[in-house]
Amino acid sequence: MKYNTQMEAAKAGVITKEMEIVSEKENMDIHKLRDLVAKGLVVIPANKNHESISPEGIGSGLRTKINVNLGISKDCPSIEKEIEKVKMAIDMKAEAIMDLSSFGKTEEFRKKIVEISPAMIGTVPIYDAVGFYDKELKDIKAEEFLDVVRKHAKDGVDFVTIHAGLNKETVNTFKRNKRLNHIVSRGGSLTYAWMELNNMENPFYEYYDELLDICREYDVTLSLGDALRPGSINDSTDASQIKELITLGELTKRAWEKDVQVMIEGPGHMAINEIEANMLLEKRLCHGAPFYVLGPIVTDVAPGYDHITSAIGGAIAASSGADFLCYVTPAEHLRLPNLEDMKEGIIASKIAAHAGDIAKNIPGARNWDFAMSEARQNLDWEKMFKLSMDPEKARRYREESMPHDEDSCTMCGKMCSMRNMNKVMAGKDINILRDDD
């Protein structure tokens, strides 16, 4: 029997080739993984038309994954430059790439990255709608929005962000509870604008069953977008955010009834002391569905350094249950990131994800750190470089300031604690002022 989605197969007790690959990557029992997929606690985004994909799992008991955003825009329309970013993301082993293109030859770019990328590919179809139809936003018909989703699914996209939780009821909550920063989600603001301009219900909510049918046909994972995520710490955990989250929980159950895999998207900007509670709240209200967060960014005053503000929040979020981190670059809030911005954002996000995995006791997470600590104690510089998250930078930093004694560095020299403890523990004398024998 042929199964349309990973969830449908898992519910039937069937183990797919994608499950086998994820089981091996995660060192998780295949039957346990299958059961988690059946319950919706793990998703394996893998469109039937994405032939180059190396499947990854997102969710309970698995390593925290990271996503890289990129894409062409009206001000920066070069497909070639964005392809360079795709290749960097792949080289740096990001598990997911989101194509957020909003101008020009979006189809050409989307198909190209699906063709070359082993990483899962995500999109936000509403970004593409204006250019796809060459119409102003208010003139696009409800069914036309769904047709764009269908096009992305057919092109091989593995997950789509859809802001289906922003219905009329949620909008009324938003209108009654004023914010400092209104709606900061690009897709959310477009959806809200369309609803207001046409005095109609959100088409993705009104025709949610048709949307699920599209996702089911191609096994596209539905990433339920947080249109009302906070865009400043002033607006976090407010009535609008929570009202939408409750709606997303209801939509999650409806998706599972049709065997459609679901992720939930989350904040946003948020003070550190609110992060853990938000992770627990999402897991409760959305029935344990995998949680995909942007940041959270823990302070609003560090433009140019938001990869750091995001990594702080991301580490806390991951340690508290978040399953998927969207990277943030130093260019966030300022401009489209370049290659160097991307690299810094990816590394910062990977640090946050790994720190979270250690705290969650993901099997094997500490092994990497153990190996690094062992190499440091042995003063094995080559092994340290190989184990580094960014080997090139680690090697370059050492070579820029070489010590007189190769078994130390220019910070401590012969007062190096590792060097001296090795000697003492071996019953040897310590020669700080004298030359080595």
Side-chain angles (χ1 to χ4, degrees):
M1 181 175 176
K2 185 177 181 181
Y3 297 94
N4 283 298
T5 71
Q6 297 291 325
M7 175 173 266
E8 184 185 16
K11 286 180 180 178
V14 172
I15 293 171
T16 66
K17 67 179 187 299
E18 289 83 7
M19 293 179 203
E20 291 174 348
I21 293 169
V22 171
S23 172
E24 185 174 351
K25 286 182 176 181
E26 300 285 346
N27 195 27
M28 175 180 280
D29 177 77
I30 187 67
H31 299 96
K32 178 180 179 181
L33 176 65
R34 179 199 59 198
D35 292 346
L36 290 170
V37 173
K39 294 174 183 176
L41 305 184
V42 165
V43 297
I44 302 177
N47 188 311
K48 296 174 181 178
N49 291 342
H50 188 176
E51 296 179 359
S52 62
I53 192 170
S54 176
E56 295 282 357
I58 301 169
S60 178
L62 306 184
R63 289 179 298 105
T64 307
K65 307 306 188 299
I66 71 164
N67 170 70
V68 169
N69 288 340
L70 42 78
I72 53 178
S73 66
K74 187 173 182 179
D75 292 307
C76 301
S78 172
I79 289 178
E80 292 74 20
K81 287 185 177 180
E82 294 307 295
I83 289 294
E84 284 186 59
K85 294 178 183 178
V86 171
K87 291 177 179 177
M88 172 178 278
I90 293 170
D91 288 344
M92 295 186 71
K93 303 189 186 314
E95 289 90 2
I97 297 170
M98 284 202 80
D99 172 18
L100 305 187
S101 295
S102 58
F103 176 80
K105 298 179 181 179
T106 57
E107 181 178 356
E108 176 187 336
F109 180 64
R110 182 170 59 251
K111 286 184 174 180
K112 179 65 175 176
I113 62 175
V114 168
E115 177 187 344
I116 67 175
S117 175
M120 64 186 104
I121 302 297
T123 60
V124 188
I126 197 171
Y127 292 177
D128 194 27
V130 173
F132 187 81
Y133 292 111
D134 196 21
K135 291 182 179 181
E136 285 298 335
L137 179 68
K138 68 180 179 64
D139 298 325
I140 299 174
K141 305 301 182 186
E143 61 271 19
E144 290 178 325
F145 284 116
L146 291 176
D147 286 341
V148 175
V149 178
R150 186 175 288 104
K151 174 61 179 168
H152 284 217
K154 187 176 181 180
D155 288 345
V157 167
D158 303 296
F159 64 99
V160 289
T161 292
I162 304 291
H163 300 89
L166 189 69
N167 58 12
K168 284 188 174 182
E169 187 178 346
T170 312
V171 164
N172 287 334
T173 299
F174 166 71
K175 288 180 177 179
R176 291 194 306 269
N177 296 272
K178 300 300 181 184
R179 282 179 155 187
L180 180 62
N181 289 107
H182 306 310
I183 297 176
V184 301
S185 158
R186 192 194 327 178
S189 65
L190 292 171
T191 304
Y192 177 84
W194 187 92
M195 293 170 66
E196 291 293 293
L197 291 169
N198 290 285
N199 192 29
M200 293 176 66
E201 180 59 277
N202 177 353
F204 296 117
Y205 181 80
E206 185 173 2
Y207 301 104
Y208 188 65
D209 285 331
E210 288 86 339
L211 172 66
L212 294 177
D213 289 340
I214 296 169
C215 293
R216 178 183 171 84
E217 181 179 356
Y218 296 92
D219 198 4
V220 172
T221 297
L222 186 57
S223 189
L224 289 171
D226 52 339
L228 294 173
R229 71 172 179 264
S232 69
I233 60 172
N234 183 79
D235 299 327
S236 59
T237 323
D238 68 352
S240 298
Q241 180 194 336
I242 302 307
K243 176 63 178 177
E244 182 182 33
L245 190 61
I246 293 170
T247 305
L248 296 184
E250 295 169 352
L251 294 175
T252 296
K253 281 191 170 181
R254 287 175 60 185
W256 286 347
E257 288 170 3
K258 287 200 172 188
D259 301 324
V260 172
Q261 300 186 96
V262 175
M263 298 186 290
I264 307 297
E265 297 187 13
H269 293 234
M270 181 167 289
I272 283 177
N273 61 307
E274 296 179 51
I275 295 174
E276 182 179 6
N278 269 262
M279 301 305 109
L280 296 174
L281 194 60
E282 182 276 342
K283 291 292 183 178
R284 180 66 174 172
L285 293 177
C286 296
H287 321 293
F291 202 16
Y292 173 25
V293 298
L294 176 68
I297 291 175
V298 295
T299 177
D300 300 326
V301 297
Y305 298 91
D306 277 325
H307 59 311
I308 298 173
T309 63
S310 172
I312 294 168
I316 297 170
S319 68
S320 303
D323 307 287
F324 193 18
L325 304 181
C326 186
Y327 93 148
V328 173
T329 77
E332 185 79 6
H333 304 109
L334 301 171
R335 59 166 170 78
L336 196 72
N338 60 27
L339 286 171
E340 186 57 34
D341 298 327
M342 273 192 65
K343 182 175 181 179
E344 291 192 39
I346 291 171
I347 292 294
S349 189
K350 289 178 75 171
I351 292 169
H354 183 60
D357 289 347
I358 292 170
K360 286 187 288 193
N361 290 315
I362 297 299
R366 290 173 176 262
N367 294 351
W368 187 4
D369 299 79
F370 181 90
M372 176 62 86
S373 295
E374 188 175 53
R376 283 178 173 153
Q377 189 64 62
N378 294 332
L379 296 169
D380 187 341
W381 294 98
E382 282 302 317
K383 190 171 183 180
M384 283 186 252
F385 298 148
K386 289 177 182 178
L387 290 167
S388 295
M389 201 169 280
D390 184 356
E392 182 276 329
K393 186 172 185 178
R395 186 182 296 276
R396 172 166 54 84
Y397 268 41
R398 177 160 172 80
E399 290 178 352
E400 284 175 354
S401 183
M402 289 296 292
H404 179 270
D405 297 283
E406 289 188 3
D407 61 353
S408 64
C409 76
T410 54
M411 171 69 78
C412 300
K414 293 176 77 172
M415 289 189 180
C416 171
S417 60
M418 300 293 189
R419 171 187 182 274
N420 291 334
M421 284 304 299
N422 286 343
K423 285 179 176 287
V424 170
M425 298 295 284
K428 297 180 180 178
D429 188 14
I430 296 175
N431 55 325
I432 295 174
L433 299 179
R434 305 185 308 276
D435 290 335
D436 286 334
D437 297 331

